[in-house]
């Protein structure tokens, strides 16, 4: 199928771990990263965790010749950490901030302050339009009891929505970033199935890198082996995904990752490994496109749709878990606030009653009175802020759940257009009682 | 040009003013709105300020027959207020929350709590794909000294970005809502010029409604005439905008607004007037599309590009004004915080020094000590929260400004492709010194 009209694009993605003064050897590592990018001259460089704009600007200066076009996405309190460098002109950019991103009071996890988002840049590669996305989802701190899972699932949901809805005019779509999800995690399946994005590690013709394409490995000196457990050797959470269009086919010719060390340097670029993918874009002739291919793929399309319905339903369930959790947290905040208020009233009553019964001795030592009052006010303020915060969280979760319900309905409607798909779906697990079946004859 | 293959779509947009317990005659007005929608059977109904989900649900029940498909967009603390009802199936929805939307401490204006956003719904009208958008931008409380102008300009910028990037696959694009901008306001020009959306009031063949298409009129009993000044009769701030695609032409056959009263009812539907537009969608044959039309319109395209460059530059200037303002507010918050901290140290010093110089009498009355300490802590907490808030505001403004700069560069690059356009541009005002000229030969 290969024809002469092909374009090669090399893409790099790296989580730079660029927290000034906190990340180890930050300035030295940025210098190494800059040198490497200058030397390697990738077409597109997608960076995450470039938390300081100063570091972005120094990279920009260094890469002025190799990558004359760049953009830094600003968001949240300390920024989104997302940056893109390109050899090809960036024509347009757009940023989508995820509606959920952890909790501000979990300051030691810090994700909330990062204003996590997905950044899009539209490049012209020759005569082709490439929509390039870079993102960084909420970290997973404890896999067994991951309280951020609903947030990450909603982020994955919004990510796939954003890519699906903004890429209609693109000839080629590329997404790079730290998704903080294992290859078969719910959010990852949701993203790949809904958008049709393909994983360069799974698609590559040649691979050179860590075992199983891992990007957070035990051999990296910045990684605490204990935190990786139960995955002794490491995990794969950084990705370069891609897809073509009705006009273009995209192939991954090679892929590589760094391996926890850099020759002639005492430490690696980051705590994450850098990923490089060599993509080949090929126009396909009009005879290959359209109806021919559609009819060829009708069966597999129905199977994929049925699978997608299952995945979205699973995501809905996860969001519902998050909803229950947020509701109970909001209830707790409300109850605590009411208790704070009751305590304040009680205190005022105890202090006031003897004062009204003139002459009686004041039973309340003044110091304790003020301290207790301050405590009550602190409780009231904190619970009020938490109540507001959980209300926003609830609205976002409910919004995502509504959208998922609507999407499942629409997918099931589409599935009805594939009568041959029924045996396909019949093999799958039966739908839950409260879920309408994809082929409910009564509907 | 009219051909037989045409579809008629009637669209309604109404700001419902639906603040439970605060808006006048809220339940009665919702009943009237429900009756009217049921009777009129518009294809698409775009509502704003439906602040309570209960009101949405009761409308949904009432319109179950006339408008079987609907969606309510959830966001912020009290929701986005946006709802859509449709006779045609809604296949997909997506919500974009504006990055800036007023200040939480301006509680009497309340916009911040509304979580203003733009909602998108993808409908199938027959075989056509319609992208329908509903939005509500930040209100203008004082036209002479509008401190929210940079926020509204950024919202208009994000709105045009969202529509432009998500509508590539649509056959027809419809936007309805309360933009809180006069027809020739900067944000409105930005939106129309960048997206190519056309104003149904300006395009309609027939019009029946208020003078000059006004949607907030002095004759409406819910409107305070004083607040409208200097616009005695009213203003036009609600719109139905539309555009076609390479496949479809869209025409506005008629447009109407309510006129401040409803026959047989003691009061109108809302403080805003309702807008109805009758759109006609027509496929154009392949001979009309593509290059023929392109070459025909080359000159006007260049003129429009040059105009767009000017508008985006004007928007950048406005955002820069907002940036300076946010910077000075953040500086004030920081300075006040430092003063609060200094006061706290001073107090502790005054109280501690005599205590260290054993035996000296405590000069500080205990009550004043605690009250002053509480004041200091309150100042510190407030200024800390404000500092965080202004930092987020700054990042959003900077982000928008970066995107605008990039867009201007890209537009100027495109303009270079139209050599005939030079005289066009030459007539326009000269670019500012710090702006590279669209035709700078040195670049």
């Amino acid at each position: 199928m290969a024809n002469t009209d092909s374009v090669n694009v090399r893409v790099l993605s790296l989580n730079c771990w660029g927290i000034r003064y906190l990340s180890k050897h930050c300035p030295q590592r940025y210098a190494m990263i800059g040198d490497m990018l200058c030397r390697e001259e990738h077409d597109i460089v997608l960076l995450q965790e470039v938390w300081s704009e100063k570091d972005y600007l120094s990279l920009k200066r260094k890469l002025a010749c190799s990558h004359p076009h760049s953009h830094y996405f600003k968001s949240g309190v300390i920024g989104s950490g997302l940056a893109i460098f390109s050899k090809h002109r960036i024509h347009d950019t757009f940023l989508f901030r995820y509606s959920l991103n952890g909790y501000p009071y979990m300051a030691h996890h810090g994700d909330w302050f990062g204003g996590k988002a997905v950044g899009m840049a539209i490049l012209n590669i020759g005569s082709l339009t490439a929509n390039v996305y870079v993102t960084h989802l909420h970290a997973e701190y404890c896999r067994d009891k991951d309280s951020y899972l609903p947030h990450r699932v909603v982020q994955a949901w919004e990510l796939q929505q954003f890519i699906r809805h903004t890429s209609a005019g693109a000839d080629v779509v590329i997404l790079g970033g730290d998704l903080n999800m294992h290859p078969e995690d719910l959010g990852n399946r949701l993203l790949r199935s809904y958008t049709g994005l393909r994983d360069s590690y799974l698609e590559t013709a040649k691979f050179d890198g860590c075992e199983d394409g891992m990007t957070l490995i035990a051999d990296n000196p910045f990684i605490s082996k204990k935190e990786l457990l139960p995955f002794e050797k490491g995990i794969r959470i950084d990705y370069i995904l891609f897809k073509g269009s009705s006009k273009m086919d995209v192939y991954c010719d090679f892929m590589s990752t760094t391996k926890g060390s850099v020759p002639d340097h005492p430490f690696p670029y980051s705590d994450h490994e850098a990923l490089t993918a060599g993509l080949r874009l090929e126009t396909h002739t009009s005879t290959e496109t359209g109806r021919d291919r559609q009819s060829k793929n009708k069966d597999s399309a129905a199977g994929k749709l049925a699978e997608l319905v299952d995945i979205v339903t699973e995501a809905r369930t996860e969001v519902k878990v998050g909803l229950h959790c947020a509701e109970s947290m909001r209830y707790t905040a409300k109850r605590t606030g009411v208790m704070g208020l009751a305590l304040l009233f009680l205190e005022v009553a105890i202090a006031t009653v003897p004062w009204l019964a003139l002459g009686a001795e004041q039973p309340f030592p003044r110091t304790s009175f003020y301290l207790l009052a301050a405590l009550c006010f602190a409780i009231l303020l904190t619970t009020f802020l938490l109540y507001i915060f959980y209300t926003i969280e609830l609205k976002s979760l409910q919004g995502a759940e509504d959208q998922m319900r609507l999407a499942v309905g629409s997918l099931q409607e589409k599935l009805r257009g594939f009568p041959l798909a029924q045996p396909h779906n019949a093999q799958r697990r039966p739908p839950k009682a409260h879920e309408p079946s994809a082929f409910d004859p009564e509907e």
Side-chain angles (χ1 to χ4, degrees), chain A:
Chain A
M1 290 283 177
N3 63 36
T4 50
D5 200 1
S6 80
V7 179
N8 291 306
V9 176
R10 279 169 69 233
V11 184
L12 175 132
S13 174
L14 171 64
N15 178 326
C16 295
W17 192 38
I19 316 169
R20 282 200 159 200
Y21 316 115
L22 285 176
S23 300
K24 284 177 195 161
H25 308 297
C26 207
Q28 296 93 320
R29 289 191 294 105
Y30 268 119
M32 286 165 60
I33 292 170
D35 291 343
M36 179 263 285
L37 295 178
C38 229
R39 194 175 60 237
E40 296 276 343
E41 291 197 358
H42 305 87
D43 291 87
I44 299 163
V45 175
L46 304 171
L47 302 180
Q48 305 94 51
E49 288 213 25
V50 183
W51 293 123
S52 161
E53 195 176 354
K54 281 180 193 154
D55 291 326
Y56 161 75
L57 291 172
S58 83
L59 274 180
K60 189 181 157 99
R61 273 191 299 276
K62 202 163 191 171
L63 304 180
C65 290
S66 62
H67 298 87
H69 310 287
S70 68
H71 192 76
Y72 185 59
F73 294 96
K74 287 169 188 156
S75 155
V77 185
I78 47 171
S80 69
L82 305 173
I84 171 166
F85 290 90
S86 166
K87 279 167 88 166
H88 308 276
R89 190 177 182 97
I90 298 175
H91 278 277
D92 216 337
T93 56
F94 190 27
L95 184 73
F96 181 87
R97 291 161 186 87
Y98 298 123
S99 63
L100 290 171
N101 186 35
Y103 305 97
Y105 55 81
M106 299 297 265
H108 59 299
H109 286 168
D111 293 68
W112 186 84
F113 292 89
K116 297 273 171 74
V118 45
M120 174 177 86
I122 302 184
L123 319 179
N124 273 23
I125 303 178
S127 62
L128 299 175
T129 302
N131 277 30
V132 178
Y133 301 85
V134 56
T135 194
H136 183 194
L137 302 195
H138 197 291
E140 182 184 81
Y141 294 98
C142 170
R143 195 166 175 80
D144 288 338
K145 214 181 162 184
D146 181 14
S147 56
Y148 298 114
L149 183 56
H151 283 212
R152 205 177 309 103
V153 169
V154 171
Q155 290 186 341
W157 173 256
E158 292 176 340
L159 176 59
Q160 68 77 17
Q161 280 187 311
F162 184 69
I163 293 176
R164 220 159 31 87
H165 292 303
T166 55
S167 62
D171 297 313
V172 52
V173 177
I174 297 167
L175 163 66
D178 174 3
L179 300 185
N180 271 312
M181 300 186 290
H182 295 217
E184 287 309 310
D185 279 1
L186 173 59
N188 226 332
R189 283 181 286 134
L190 185 67
L191 173 65
R192 286 203 314 266
S193 301
Y194 226 142
T195 58
L197 283 167
R198 286 142 61 206
D199 185 343
S200 52
Y201 171 70
L202 299 177
E203 300 275 333
T204 186
K206 270 190 273 181
F207 177 73
D208 176 32
C210 301
E211 199 182 329
D212 298 330
M214 289 183 294
T215 60
L216 207 65
I217 60 170
D219 288 343
N220 186 307
F222 297 131
I223 293 288
S224 131
K225 285 170 190 61
K226 227 173 84 187
E227 277 175 22
L228 276 180
L229 287 178
F231 304 95
E232 275 177 26
K233 288 186 176 172
I235 52 180
R236 184 157 82 93
I237 57 172
D238 298 80
Y239 300 85
I240 294 173
L241 306 176
F242 63 90
K243 72 170 178 178
S245 61
S246 59
K247 213 171 109 189
M248 299 296 298
D249 280 325
V250 185
Y251 304 93
C252 184
D253 285 338
F254 65 87
M255 211 218 147
S256 64
T257 71
T258 51
K259 296 171 188 172
S261 61
V262 179
D264 306 323
H265 284 95
F267 40 77
Y269 297 119
S270 170
D271 58 346
H272 285 244
E273 302 308 316
L275 285 76
T276 307
L279 304 178
R280 178 164 41 88
L281 323 182
E282 284 192 0
T283 53
H284 42 239
T285 57
S286 56
T287 52
E288 292 173 30
T289 61
R291 289 183 183 281
D292 291 359
R293 293 212 301 185
Q294 266 179 31
S295 65
K296 236 190 279 175
N297 297 331
K298 212 164 191 175
D299 273 13
S300 80
K304 277 181 187 169
L305 262 182
E307 191 188 340
L308 186 52
V309 169
D310 284 357
I311 295 174
V312 178
T313 305
E314 198 181 334
R316 258 186 90 186
T317 311
E318 201 51 65
V319 171
K320 279 179 189 165
V321 171
L323 262 173
H324 285 296
C325 197
E327 260 164 11
S328 88
M329 294 295 276
R330 188 171 73 160
Y331 178 72
T332 306
K334 192 174 160 184
R335 207 178 42 185
T336 313
V338 169
M339 278 163 58
L341 200 64
L343 191 64
L344 191 67
F345 277 125
L346 192 71
E347 186 192 7
V348 171
I350 293 174
T352 320
V353 168
W355 177 75
L356 287 176
L358 295 151
E361 204 183 318
Q362 177 61 265
F364 230 119
R366 202 164 273 196
T367 310
S368 318
F369 180 85
Y370 286 117
L371 283 179
L372 194 57
L375 180 72
C376 290
F377 278 115
I379 289 174
L380 280 176
L381 183 71
T382 312
T383 52
F384 174 73
L385 290 178
L386 283 176
Y387 188 86
I388 297 257
F389 182 82
Y390 288 126
T391 303
I392 296 176
E393 187 188 9
L394 267 174
K395 288 267 179 216
S396 295
L397 287 165
Q398 283 167 350
E401 211 259 320
D402 286 351
Q403 289 172 349
M404 287 174 183
R405 191 181 58 234
L406 196 136
V408 167
S410 171
L411 291 170
Q412 286 172 335
E413 180 84 18
K414 257 192 206 163
L415 252 180
R416 280 189 206 102
F418 295 104
L420 290 168
Q422 290 202 30
H424 250 283
N425 197 60
Q427 292 164 10
R428 309 194 69 83
R429 63 161 181 70
K432 287 173 192 163
H434 64 277
E435 290 291 340
S437 155
F439 302 102
D440 193 341
E442 287 174 58
E443 254 208 322

